[in-house]
């Protein structure tokens, strides 16, 4: 790959990861609303099932890999699907039973978890400059939260779902590493589609079993129009589009740096609030600048390392 192509790949990967952060930044509050309107187990299953058609269309539209990929292994697919299923369930239930503020704080430590797992599973050392970029992103994310109106009154009390979010992130980071190792030769669209299809199958089986056991409820009697819009956004964009962009980013810049971009999620949540008439506070603006500063700093280092010699 030429220097220009390599630098362009880093820029496009970073742009895709920031788009993922934007999408996922809106998901926590929307998911919180939906879990209060419909059964959480059904919602967890629908996230993959309803997002799968988009990925299938993408897979049909793109050219297959130039080299024939390795033969699919049922055991690997089953494990990858289980990891995604575990993440979906743990994330959905964790958000439902977590404080909105503490949930975002816990999710902001995703880059730390990813760095540790990349070290344990791959022996990957932290990239030069990563600790500083991570520190800026974490500090900025906390400032965004601290500057959010009402945070002081709500406090940071734990409500029981926060540990589930931590375990869910571990499952997701494990999937992100193994998916690239086992299915990376199929391209990122193929990888995302195949693993999402297996996860959707696992979710349907799990939801049916829970429904049969009387744990999961059925379909809600009716959903308001805004609930339907939230569901479409979470399933099509929050799962299908975001997973595809995430996998592309991980393949280009590595898991820890990709996870670092996700600390921009609170920033995009603030921008969304501003768009509907809730202007950001000074602390939120300062925090957002710190987060984006950390991401830009890491991106510049990535581009510099992409130069030959």
């Amino acid at each position: 790959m030429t220097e220009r192509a390599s630098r362009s790949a880093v820029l496009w990967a970073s742009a895709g990861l920031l788009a993922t952060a934007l999408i996922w930044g809106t998901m926590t509050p929307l998911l919180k609303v939906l879990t209060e309107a419909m059964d959480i187990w059904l919602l967890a299953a629908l996230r993959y099932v309803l997002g799968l058609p988009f990925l299938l269309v993408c897979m049909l539209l793109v050219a297959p890999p130039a080299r024939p990929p390795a033969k699919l292994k049922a055991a690997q697919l089953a494990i990858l699907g289980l990891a995604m299923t575990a993440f979906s369930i743990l994330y959905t239930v964790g958000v439902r039973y977590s404080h909105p503020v503490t949930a975002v704080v816990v999710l902001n430590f995703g880059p730390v978890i990813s760095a540790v797992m990349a070290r344990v599973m791959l022996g990957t050392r932290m990239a030069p400059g990563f600790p500083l970029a991570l520190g800026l992103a974490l500090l900025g994310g906390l400032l965004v939260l601290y500057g959010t109106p009402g945070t002081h009154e709500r406090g940071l009390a734990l409500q029981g779902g926060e540990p589930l979010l931590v375990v869910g992130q571990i499952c997701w980071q494990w999937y992100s590493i193994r998916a690239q190792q086992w299915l990376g030769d199929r391209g990122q669209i193929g990888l995302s589609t195949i693993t999402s299809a297996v996860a959707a199958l696992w979710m349907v089986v799990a939801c049916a079993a829970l429904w049969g056991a009387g744990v999961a409820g059925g379909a809600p009697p009716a959903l308001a129009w805004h609930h339907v819009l939230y569901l479409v956004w979470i399933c099509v964009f929050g799962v299908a589009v975001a997973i595809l962009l995430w996998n592309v980013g991980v393949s280009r810049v590595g898991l820890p740096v990709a996870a670092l971009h996700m600390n921009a999620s609170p920033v995009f949540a603030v921008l969304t609030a501003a768009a509907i008439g809730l202007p950001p506070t000074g602390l939120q603006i300062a925090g957002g600048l710190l987060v984006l500063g950390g991401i830009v700093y890491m991106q510049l280092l990535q581009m510099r390392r992409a130069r030959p010699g």
Side-chain angles (χ1 to χ4, degrees), residues 26 37 69 75 120 125 131 136-137 154 156 197 201 206 219 246 248 256 269-270 283:
T26 65
V120 172
R125 295 183 179 274
L136 290 173
R154 292 193 299 262
L156 294 174
L201 178 61
W246 167 262
V248 171
V270 170
L283 278 178

Side-chain angles (χ1 to χ4, degrees), residues 250-267:
V250 170
S251 70
R252 298 287 174 81
V253 302
L255 178 61
V257 176
L260 178 68
H261 286 71
M262 297 307 104
N263 281 61
S265 293
V267 179

Side-chain angles (χ1 to χ4, degrees), residues 20 69 112 124 150 277:
T20 303
V112 178
T124 304

Side-chain angles (χ1 to χ4, degrees), residues 96-309:
R96 174 66 179 87
Y97 295 105
S98 293
H99 193 287
V101 176
T102 52
V104 178
V105 171
V106 171
L107 293 173
N108 264 15
F109 279 87
V112 178
I113 297 174
S114 67
V116 172
M117 293 192 67
R119 177 63 175 165
V120 172
M121 296 175 65
L122 302 173
T124 304
R125 295 183 179 274
M126 284 190 182
F130 181 78
L132 175 58
L134 176 60
L136 290 173
L138 289 175
L139 177 59
L142 292 176
L143 282 178
V144 169
L145 293 172
Y146 189 76
T148 301
T151 297
H152 303 285
E153 293 77 6
R154 292 193 299 262
L156 294 174
L158 300 178
Q159 295 185 359
E162 292 79 9
L164 300 180
L165 295 175
V166 174
V167 179
Q169 287 188 89
I170 293 174
C171 293
W172 181 255
Q173 311 295 11
W174 185 92
Y175 156 80
S176 300
I177 292 173
R178 289 293 186 243
Q180 296 297 329
Q181 291 179 324
W182 294 344
L183 300 177
D185 59 347
R186 293 181 174 272
Q188 299 309 310
I189 293 179
L191 179 157
S192 302
T193 304
I194 293 170
T195 54
S196 295
V198 178
L201 178 61
W202 276 117
M203 285 302 313
V204 170
V205 171
C207 190
L210 291 169
W211 179 79
V215 176
L223 288 176
W225 66 269
H226 64 279
H227 289 147
V228 175
L229 291 179
Y230 292 170
L231 189 61
V232 171
W233 175 262
I234 286 174
C235 295
V236 177
F237 289 90
V239 173
V241 175
I243 286 178
L244 177 56
L245 293 176
W246 167 262
N247 284 325
V248 171
V250 170
S251 70
R252 298 287 174 81
V253 302
L255 178 61
V257 176
L260 178 68
H261 286 71
M262 297 307 104
N263 281 61
S265 293
V267 179
F268 290 118
V270 170
L271 293 176
T272 302
I276 60 175
L278 300 173
T281 64
L283 278 178
Q284 288 177 319
I285 294 174
L289 291 175
L290 278 176
V291 171
L292 295 178
I295 293 172
V296 170
Y297 170 68
M298 200 66 222
Q299 180 178 311
L300 291 175
L301 291 179
Q302 290 271 337
M303 293 177 63
R304 182 178 300 174
R305 284 196 295 274
R307 297 175 183 174

Side-chain angles (χ1 to χ4, degrees), residues 26-38 40 43 91-103 159 161-162 227 230 234:
T26 65
M27 276 189 60
T28 301
L30 297 184
L31 198 59
K32 183 77 172 179
V33 173
L34 284 174
T35 57
E36 296 172 353
M38 60 187 300
I40 58 176
L43 178 59
Y91 179 77
T92 304
V93 179
V95 168
R96 174 66 179 87
Y97 295 105
S98 293
H99 193 287
V101 176
T102 52
Q159 295 185 359
E162 292 79 9
H227 289 147
Y230 292 170
I234 286 174

